[in-house]
Amino acid sequence: MQVPGLVIRMLVLVTLLTGACWFSNSAWANSPDRLSRILQQKSLRVCIWPDYYSITFRNPRTGQLNGFDIDMAQQFAKDLGVELTFVNSSFAALMDNLVGDQCDIAMHGVAITEARLEKLSFSEPYLKSDFYAVTTKSHPTVTQWDDIDKPDVVVGIMGGTVMEPVMRKALRQAQIELIYAPKTREQELEAGRIDVFITDYPYSRKVLDNADWAALLGPSKPFFITNYAYAIAKVKTPGDQRWLNRINQFLLATKNDGRLLAIARRYKLERIAVSDKK
C-alpha cells in the first residue's frame, strides 16, 4: 500500500519537531546552571525599579543611579568578578521579568509576600519596614494615622506594591486610588486628587528630603512589618538552589564585614537594616 505524499510530509514534519524538542530539552539539561553561566559570561543582570528613592533611584537631573541596592549590586558583581547590567523593572512587572529570564536577580527592596512566593524564591531578609502615610501639613482632617480610614478620604497606593493587598483588607471606609507610573503619589497628593498615600520607610525619605509641605504619619503600634529580600525565579533545580545559596553567602558576608550597615548609613536606612551576624 502506498502512503500518500501528504501523509509522508506530515510524518517528516512530526519527526523533525520531535527531534527539535528533544534537542532543545537535552541542550537545556546539559547547559550550565545560572551561577555558572553568570561566571562564564562574566555578566550579572539585575532588575531594579528606578523610582525607588534611597533604594534604586535614577536622579531625574543627572540620570545617575544611586541607592542602597545600587551599591549592594555593585558589591555583588565585584565579589563575583563580573560586569553589572541594570534592567529597568517595577513591582508590577517583577515576576514576569524574573520568570521570563530578563534578569538574574531583582535587587530593589522586594517585599516577601505569599503571592510572590508562588513564582519567586527569596534570599534571607536584609531590610524590614512598617507602613507609613504621607499627607500635607495643611490637610484639614488627616492629621494622624487613625484619620486615614474615614469616609471621603482617598488613599493613594502605588499599584503592584505590597501595600495594595494589605490596605485593601485594612481599609473599611476610605476609598483606594491605585497610582501607576508615570504618575507619582506626591503629584497626586499635591494636586488634591488624593488625601494621603501609603508608603514604606525608604520611600518616605524622598518626601522628607524634598517636600517641605509634607507630613509623615506613622502607626501608633506595628501595623505591617515587611521583610525585604533579593528575588529570583522559583527554585526548581539544584542549580537554582546553588544560585540562591551564593546570594545568601554574599548577604552574610556583607553583614559580617560591615558593608551592609555602612551602605545603609550612607542612605539613612540603618534604622531598618537587618544586619545581624550569624
Side-chain angles (χ1 to χ4, degrees), residues 115-132:
R116 288 171 180 162
L117 282 168
E118 292 180 3
K119 292 187 176 182
L120 306 178
S121 292
F122 288 88
S123 69
E124 292 294 321
Y126 65 96
L127 296 175
K128 61 180 179 181
S129 173
D130 206 341
F131 287 6
Y132 293 84

Side-chain angles (χ1 to χ4, degrees), residues 41-173:
Q41 297 171 8
K42 295 189 178 299
S43 174
L44 175 66
R45 302 167 301 161
V46 176
C47 268
I48 61 168
W49 179 40
D51 292 328
Y52 203 168
Y53 190 83
S54 76
I55 298 293
T56 51
F57 183 67
R58 188 181 299 280
N59 188 305
R61 295 191 184 91
T62 66
Q64 296 297 309
L65 286 167
N66 64 71
F68 180 92
D69 275 333
I70 298 299
D71 289 12
M72 287 290 283
Q74 291 169 344
Q75 288 292 314
F76 192 22
K78 182 179 179 181
D79 283 8
L80 292 170
V82 300
E83 296 295 321
L84 175 62
T85 300
F86 289 117
V87 179
N88 286 348
S89 182
S90 67
F91 289 108
L94 169 66
M95 287 191 280
D96 288 342
N97 290 158
L98 286 170
V99 174
D101 195 31
Q102 292 173 278
C103 51
D104 302 302
I105 182 174
M107 300 179 71
H108 56 92
V110 182
I112 303 174
T113 68
E114 291 184 6
R116 288 171 180 162
L117 282 168
E118 292 180 3
K119 292 187 176 182
L120 306 178
S121 292
F122 288 88
S123 69
E124 292 294 321
Y126 65 96
L127 296 175
K128 61 180 179 181
S129 173
D130 206 341
F131 287 6
Y132 293 84
V134 176
T135 187
T136 61
K137 291 179 179 177
S138 60
H139 199 285
T141 59
V142 180
T143 60
Q144 59 183 352
W145 182 271
D146 291 341
D147 294 331
I148 296 173
D149 194 16
K150 298 287 182 64
D152 300 325
V153 173
V154 181
V155 181
I157 299 172
M158 182 61 70
T161 62
V162 66
M163 289 87 182
E164 181 182 344
V166 173
M167 297 310 293
R168 284 192 183 279
K169 291 182 179 180
L171 297 179
R172 304 291 183 179
Q173 302 180 77

Side-chain angles (χ1 to χ4, degrees), residues 100-266:
D101 195 31
Q102 292 173 278
C103 51
D104 302 302
I105 182 174
M107 300 179 71
H108 56 92
V110 182
I112 303 174
T113 68
E114 291 184 6
R116 288 171 180 162
L117 282 168
E118 292 180 3
K119 292 187 176 182
L120 306 178
S121 292
F122 288 88
S123 69
E124 292 294 321
Y126 65 96
L127 296 175
K128 61 180 179 181
S129 173
D130 206 341
F131 287 6
Y132 293 84
V134 176
T135 187
T136 61
K137 291 179 179 177
S138 60
H139 199 285
T141 59
V142 180
T143 60
Q144 59 183 352
W145 182 271
D146 291 341
D147 294 331
I148 296 173
D149 194 16
K150 298 287 182 64
D152 300 325
V153 173
V154 181
V155 181
I157 299 172
M158 182 61 70
T161 62
V162 66
M163 289 87 182
E164 181 182 344
V166 173
M167 297 310 293
R168 284 192 183 279
K169 291 182 179 180
L171 297 179
R172 304 291 183 179
Q173 302 180 77
Q175 176 187 335
I176 291 177
E177 181 70 24
L178 294 183
I179 299 168
Y180 295 94
K183 294 181 179 179
T184 69
R185 289 165 285 186
E186 297 94 317
Q187 291 171 346
E188 296 301 288
L189 182 58
E190 282 191 278
R193 288 185 284 269
I194 61 176
D195 298 290
V196 63
F197 69 79
I198 306 300
T199 186
D200 60 1
Y201 185 81
Y203 199 85
S204 76
R205 301 304 315 176
K206 180 180 182 180
V207 182
L208 298 179
D209 291 347
N210 295 284
D212 58 5
W213 49 262
L216 185 67
L217 310 177
S220 57
K221 59 182 180 181
F223 179 76
F224 194 84
I225 303 296
T226 306
N227 286 315
Y228 298 161
Y230 297 139
I232 62 172
K234 192 75 173 179
V235 168
K236 296 180 179 179
T237 68
D240 296 338
Q241 187 61 53
R242 181 169 174 252
W243 174 224
L244 184 60
N245 291 345
R246 183 62 182 87
I247 297 166
N248 281 323
Q249 179 186 340
F250 163 72
L251 273 174
L252 179 58
T254 60
K255 291 177 181 181
N256 286 336
D257 62 26
R259 279 181 290 170
L260 187 144
L261 191 55
I263 294 172
R265 289 196 180 105
R266 188 177 304 155

